[in-house]
């Protein structure tokens, strides 16, 4: 039985690598409590999903770069969803953190990290780029100085394709 | 091969594969592999092993609004401090089927959930800490712009994969206007040979232009207990321009909800730090007897430079201090892409007092190259015998985006009771293609507590090597 299940999982791995990846749909509350459904925003331009947390140092560095990217490409249809994975210990500080650091992004709260898990997250930051058809075209874990250049290239590809 | 296994294999070949081929069925998931060779005397003495292997393989199949999820785990040998060492884990540990339209989500199988801020119910997994209160049952979520409803029933599992008693739970959140939410939740279970136990809460969430207020009050109904528990949590945010103030208050009295597993995870009301040594001496939650508060203020004193100051305090209801912390931090991101982060603070728990100085510098050396240095210093004074000692931690790293980074991690202590006084390890992280991350550590790492969200776990000492490979697909 265990071997059969393992074989099934291996088959799924192999198949999945060959497929276009549809972004799993989700509904999360935003920072003011309104529900936000991802699929309702497909077709309006590229969507960049960034999982972050107030206690994550690389997330802060990356956010500074994402601010610039948003200001450069927002008028071309780019949306940045900054999904906080702060849990019950730190979610109470998210609003203040966003206010002081002047985050211009759409902030969503994934307090129990269920969407983070669905998007195969283990540690933040984790970034996905989604095209107009709701397919994932790029993903990246962590942040190193210079990662934003590759991200910008991928965003431009989507904007030019549209 | 059994009949069931054979059937599963044929289903894979003749139904799943063709369906995928026609692109009706979407497949995604991830695989996480960890291998460690550990010669540390403590680990070998406790486990009689030097090799540790784990693999988690998760797969999801999506067909329109339906989703099937599976996770297969291998633990050989189980990690110490996380599992019963007599158990071998080679099994399908998670499976569920779900119908999710966004507004209506029905799941049968394994699930996690959170009610309010976790006073009454929080079922979650933290893989780093090997903490998992997964539940097996049925869950229904209905989300609407005026009302959210959650109902569920199931059996949670404990840390050695034993199922506990069935429980039922529900939450109702009403949103008459976007700025004001009012809700209520309840959990009930019947332990063996005991009367039924229930927990319930009411909460409200108010958002105004200059801030927000969250309040939750919970009570226990437990005929089996001498003291019925209650809990109160308050959280306020206030904004004046870019100045932000956060205040939190907690009062937990006999509210550790344990019936085979821990059902709840109330807010800790303590600082989650960015540095290793600061997180090593965190408050360990005891929701049976603690009250306290935290205040944190932050303000961008210069362009891209934020000053933060925080104070938190926790004591028992009899007034015995459990934890106190002062901490201040300055975070500055310069116009030429250099980043400075520095902090100074004092932590105190019943066993010791800790004075901390921490700092990190990260620079962009060339277009894609980054250099980072992190230094942490902690001066400890133990209450028992006034013994004083220092711990220092230094991390140096070089990275090239997006493909690799190398780091040297070291720690030194002057603590006389410690068997070792120096640890050093090298770490290499590689990004292979877009979806494959490889991390390798070799050397020595100090054993110690890692605390996240009030849950602390002891990580074993490392003398050897660790390899982690994560694939997303």
């Amino acid at each position: 039985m265990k071997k059969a299940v393992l074989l099934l999982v291996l088959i799924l791995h192999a198949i999945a690598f060959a497929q276009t990846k549809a972004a799993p749909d989700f509904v999360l509350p935003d920072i003011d409590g309104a529900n936000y459904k991802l699929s309702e925003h497909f077709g309006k331009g590229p969507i960049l999903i960034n999982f972050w947390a107030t206690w994550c140092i690389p997330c802060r560095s990356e956010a500074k770069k994402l601010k610039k990217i948003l200001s450069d490409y927002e008028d071309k249809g780019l949306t940045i969803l900054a999904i906080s994975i702060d849990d019950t210990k730190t979610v109470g500080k998210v609003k203040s953190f966003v206010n002081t650091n002047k985050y211009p992004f759409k902030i969503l709260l994934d307090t129990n990290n269920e969407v983070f898990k669905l998007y195969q997250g283990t540690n933040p930051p984790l970034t996905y780029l989604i095209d107009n058809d709701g397919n994932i075209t790029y993903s990246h874990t962590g942040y190193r100085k210079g990662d934003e250049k590759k991200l910008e290239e991928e965003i431009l590809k989507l904007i030019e394709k549209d | 091969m059994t009949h069931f296994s054979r059937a599963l294999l044929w289903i894979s070949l003749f139904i799943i594969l063709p369906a995928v081929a026609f692109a009706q069925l979407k497949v995604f998931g991830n695989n996480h592999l960890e291998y460690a060779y550990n010669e540390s005397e403590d680990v070998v003495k406790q486990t009689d092993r030097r090799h540790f292997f784990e693999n988690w393989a998760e797969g999801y199949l999506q067909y329109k609004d339906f989703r099937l999820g599976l996770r297969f785990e291998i633990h050989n040998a189980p990690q110490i401090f996380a599992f019963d060492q007599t158990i071998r884990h080679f099994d399908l540990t998670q499976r569920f089927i779900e119908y999710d339209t966004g507004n209506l989500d029905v799941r049968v199988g394994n699930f996690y959930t959170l009610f309010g801020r976790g006073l009454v119910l929080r079922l979650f997994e933290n893989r780093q800490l090997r903490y998992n209160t997964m539940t097996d049952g049925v869950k229904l979520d209905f989300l609407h712009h005026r009302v959210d409803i959650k109902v569920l029933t199931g059996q949670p599992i404990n840390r050695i994969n034993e199922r506990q008693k069935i429980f039922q739970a529900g939450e109702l959140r009403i949103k008459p206007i976007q700025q004001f939410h009012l809700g209520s939740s309840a959990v009930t279970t019947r332990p063996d040979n005991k009367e039924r136990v229930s927990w319930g809460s009411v909460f409200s969430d108010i958002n105004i232009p200059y801030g927000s207020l969250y309040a939750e009050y919970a009570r226990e109904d437990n005929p089996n207990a001498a003291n019925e528990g209650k809990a109160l949590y308050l959280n306020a945010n206030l904004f004046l321009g870019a100045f932000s103030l956060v205040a939190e208050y907690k009062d937990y009295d006999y509210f550790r909800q344990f019936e085979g597993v821990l059902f709840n995870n109330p807010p800790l009301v303590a600082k989650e730090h960015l540095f290793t040594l600061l997180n090593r001496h965190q408050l360990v939650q005891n929701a049976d007897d603690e009250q306290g508060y935290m205040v944190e203020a932050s303000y961008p004193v210069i362009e891209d430079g934020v000053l933060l100051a925080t104070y938190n305090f926790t004591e028992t209801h009899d007034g015995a201090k459990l934890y106190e912390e002062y901490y201040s931090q300055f975070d500055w991101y310069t116009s030429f892409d250099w980043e400075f982060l520095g902090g100074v603070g004092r932590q105190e728990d019943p066993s010791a007092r800790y004075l901390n100085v921490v700092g990190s510098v990260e620079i962009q050396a060339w277009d894609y190259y980054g250099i980072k240095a992190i230094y942490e210093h902690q001066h400890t004074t133990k209450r028992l015998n006034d013994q004083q000692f220092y711990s220092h931690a230094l991390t140096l790293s070089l990275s090239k985006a997006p493909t690799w980074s190398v780091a040297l991690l070291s720690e030194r202590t002057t603590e006389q009771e410690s068997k070792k006084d120096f640890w050093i390890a090298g770490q290499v992280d590689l990004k292979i293609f877009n979806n494959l991350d490889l991390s390798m550590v070799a050397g020595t790492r100090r054993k110690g507590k890692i605390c996240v969200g009030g849950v602390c776990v002891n990580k074993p000492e490392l003398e050897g090597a660790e390899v982690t490979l994560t694939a997303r697909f």
Side-chain angles (χ1 to χ4, degrees):
Chain A
M1 166 63 181
K2 293 184 182 102
K3 286 178 188 170
V5 171
L6 183 55
L7 181 60
L8 174 62
V9 170
L10 288 172
I11 290 170
L12 293 177
H13 274 63
I15 290 163
F17 269 114
Q19 281 199 320
T20 304
K21 310 293 183 291
D25 198 12
F26 59 79
V27 175
L28 285 176
D30 68 16
I31 205 166
D32 296 316
N35 287 332
Y36 183 99
K37 184 174 178 179
L38 177 67
S39 57
E40 287 177 354
H41 299 269
F42 289 160
K44 299 174 186 172
I47 297 175
L48 189 153
I49 292 179
N50 178 251
F51 292 93
W52 66 284
T54 57
W55 43 260
C56 163
I57 296 181
C59 301
R60 295 160 172 234
S61 305
E62 186 178 40
K64 297 197 168 56
K65 298 298 182 182
L66 292 180
K67 277 189 200 177
K68 172 137 192 342
I69 287 176
L70 183 65
S71 72
D72 289 344
Y73 300 107
E74 190 174 21
D75 59 347
K76 295 181 173 64
L78 176 68
T79 299
I80 294 185
L81 300 180
I83 301 180
S84 162
I85 62 163
D86 286 274
D87 66 8
T88 54
K89 182 182 177 187
T90 50
V91 70
K93 301 179 190 64
V94 169
K95 283 185 187 173
S96 290
F97 183 91
V98 166
N99 181 65
T100 297
N101 289 278
K102 299 174 192 165
Y103 279 11
F105 320 117
K106 180 72 174 171
I107 308 291
L108 303 181
L109 302 178
D110 183 22
T111 311
N112 213 33
N113 295 181
E114 289 173 63
V115 174
F116 187 53
K117 220 168 106 110
L118 186 63
Y119 275 73
Q120 294 100 59
T122 49
N123 294 303
L126 172 63
T127 301
Y128 284 88
L129 199 51
I130 300 169
D131 66 14
N132 269 333
D133 299 321
N135 294 317
I136 293 170
T137 61
Y138 175 75
S139 68
H140 186 82
T141 55
Y143 174 71
R144 300 181 178 99
K145 292 246 183 251
D147 278 344
E148 67 278 2
K149 296 186 199 306
K150 174 67 178 171
L151 181 59
E152 202 169 340
E153 279 173 28
E154 296 295 326
I155 291 170
L156 276 169
K157 279 184 199 171
L158 290 185
I159 290 172
E160 283 159 14
K161 193 174 97 172
D162 296 336
Chain B
M1 196 184 274
T2 64
H3 287 303
F4 182 78
S5 306
R6 206 173 289 132
L8 198 58
L9 197 54
W10 287 119
I11 289 169
S12 307
L13 288 170
F14 290 104
I15 296 177
I16 295 177
L17 288 179
V20 168
F22 285 109
Q24 292 297 307
L25 196 65
K26 297 296 179 187
V27 181
F28 57 96
N30 66 91
N31 191 78
H32 184 85
L33 184 153
E34 281 187 26
Y35 168 77
Y37 175 76
N38 196 345
E39 278 193 333
S40 159
E41 193 184 315
D42 279 348
V43 171
V44 174
K45 199 185 298 181
Q46 289 195 49
T47 65
D48 197 30
R49 291 176 189 92
R50 288 175 172 77
H51 299 273
F52 298 87
F53 174 77
E54 285 186 315
N55 194 78
W56 295 309
E58 276 183 336
Y60 300 93
L61 284 81
Q62 180 109 27
Y63 176 72
K64 296 187 178 177
D65 293 332
F66 289 91
R67 186 182 294 147
L68 169 71
L70 300 167
R71 187 204 286 182
F72 186 82
E73 290 185 31
I74 300 171
H75 300 274
N76 184 24
Q79 292 271 348
I80 62 170
F81 306 125
F83 299 107
D84 183 339
Q85 289 297 300
T86 62
I87 289 179
R88 285 287 181 269
H89 293 269
F90 303 86
D91 215 342
L92 186 68
T93 54
Q94 291 191 21
R95 73 281 178 274
F96 68 85
I97 187 156
E98 185 174 29
Y99 173 71
D100 185 6
T101 65
N103 296 108
L104 178 66
D105 180 1
V106 181
R107 183 185 278 210
V108 178
N110 301 125
F111 61 82
Y112 301 95
T113 196
L114 168 67
F115 286 178
R117 292 280 171 98
L119 265 72
V120 162
L121 188 66
R122 184 184 178 207
L123 305 169
F124 69 105
E125 180 182 27
N126 185 316
R127 286 196 208 179
Q128 284 193 344
L129 302 181
R130 303 295 196 269
Y131 184 95
N132 190 357
T133 46
M134 179 182 69
T135 294
D136 196 17
V138 179
K139 178 170 78 86
L140 184 149
D141 291 351
F142 174 72
L143 304 176
H144 186 265
H145 69 282
R146 289 280 178 252
V147 66
D148 294 341
I149 299 170
K150 296 181 188 179
V151 290
L152 57 98
T153 181
Q155 289 179 285
I157 60 160
N158 65 10
R159 59 182 277 166
I160 52 173
N161 278 342
E162 291 175 339
R163 289 191 184 182
Q164 304 305 297
K165 297 302 290 181
I166 291 176
F167 75 99
Q168 293 81 35
E171 180 186 79
L172 172 68
R173 180 187 289 256
I174 298 167
K175 299 174 271 187
I177 56 174
Q178 186 178 315
Q179 293 80 7
F180 175 64
H181 297 184
L182 188 62
S184 176
S185 64
V187 179
T188 183
T189 186
R190 187 168 188 151
D192 283 335
N193 304 315
K194 292 183 187 174
E195 304 271 348
R196 181 167 285 279
V197 181
S198 302
W199 304 276
S201 80
V202 289
F203 58 87
S204 73
D205 199 353
I206 301 167
N207 288 286
I208 55 176
Y210 298 104
S212 65
L213 176 64
Y214 181 90
E216 186 167 353
Y217 177 70
R219 286 202 72 113
E220 180 189 33
D221 176 20
N222 187 352
N224 312 301
N227 299 285
E228 287 191 337
K230 52 185 187 293
L232 174 66
Y233 170 72
L234 303 171
N235 170 223
N237 284 264
L238 178 67
F239 315 133
L240 294 169
F243 173 79
S244 301
L245 184 70
V246 182
E248 288 184 288
Y249 174 78
K250 64 180 174 183
D251 185 345
Y252 308 143
D253 198 10
Y254 292 100
F255 216 73
R256 184 172 180 268
Q257 293 167 222
F258 185 84
E259 293 292 344
V261 294
L262 202 56
F263 280 90
N264 63 345
N265 181 230
L268 188 62
V269 186
K271 180 77 180 154
E272 183 78 34
H273 281 288
L274 307 172
F275 296 90
T276 305
L277 294 188
L278 296 178
N279 275 332
R280 202 169 276 168
H281 303 289
Q282 271 198 8
L283 172 68
V284 180
Q285 185 166 78
N286 176 17
D288 275 340
D289 184 10
E290 61 177 42
Q291 57 185 7
Y293 58 92
M294 179 159 99
V295 181
E296 184 167 293
S298 55
Y299 183 68
V301 292
I302 57 174
E303 184 71 27
D304 284 327
V306 175
L307 180 64
L308 178 147
T310 188
Y311 174 76
N312 67 83
F313 179 81
T314 298
E315 63 180 0
T316 65
H317 288 90
D318 291 335
K321 183 158 69 175
L322 293 174
Y323 193 80
E324 185 177 31
E325 180 175 25
Y326 303 84
Y327 179 73
S328 185
Q329 175 181 290
F330 182 61
D331 180 8
W332 181 31
Y333 195 95
T334 71
S335 57
F336 42 94
D337 269 348
W338 287 33
E339 186 164 2
F340 299 91
L341 177 65
V344 59
R346 176 176 175 272
Q347 297 167 306
E348 197 172 331
D349 63 28
S351 68
R353 188 172 62 244
Y354 314 93
L355 298 176
N356 304 300
V357 177
V358 292
S360 74
V361 176
E362 187 171 11
I363 67 174
Q364 184 139 15
W366 302 273
D367 262 354
Y368 291 90
Y369 288 87
I371 300 173
K372 186 168 185 175
I374 304 173
Y375 177 72
E376 304 175 47
H377 174 91
Q378 187 170 77
H379 179 202
T380 303
T381 304
K382 287 197 168 177
R383 291 194 185 287
L384 188 64
N385 50 15
D386 269 341
Q387 183 196 0
Q388 296 187 27
F389 57 89
Y390 297 90
S391 296
H392 315 264
L394 176 66
T395 302
L396 299 169
S397 68
L398 171 69
S399 64
K400 180 180 183 292
T403 46
W404 58 262
S405 61
V406 294
L408 196 65
L409 306 96
S410 64
E411 185 174 340
R412 183 175 175 273
T413 185
T414 60
E415 184 182 4
Q416 287 168 0
E417 290 159 8
S418 177
K419 284 182 189 173
K420 283 171 72 83
D421 60 4
F422 183 66
W423 299 264
I424 188 163
Q427 180 167 334
V428 176
D429 295 295
L430 297 172
K431 180 169 290 300
I432 305 165
F433 313 119
N434 240 357
N435 303 324
L436 200 59
D437 295 299
L438 174 67
S439 177
M440 297 171 287
V441 178
T444 56
R445 180 188 63 216
R446 188 175 187 179
K447 76 173 180 183
K449 194 190 294 179
I450 294 180
C451 298
V452 177
V455 178
C456 295
V457 70
N458 286 311
K459 287 282 270 186
E461 183 144 316
L462 174 70
E463 268 187 49
E466 284 179 351
V467 175
T468 306
L469 184 65
T470 304
R472 296 185 311 283
F473 57 89

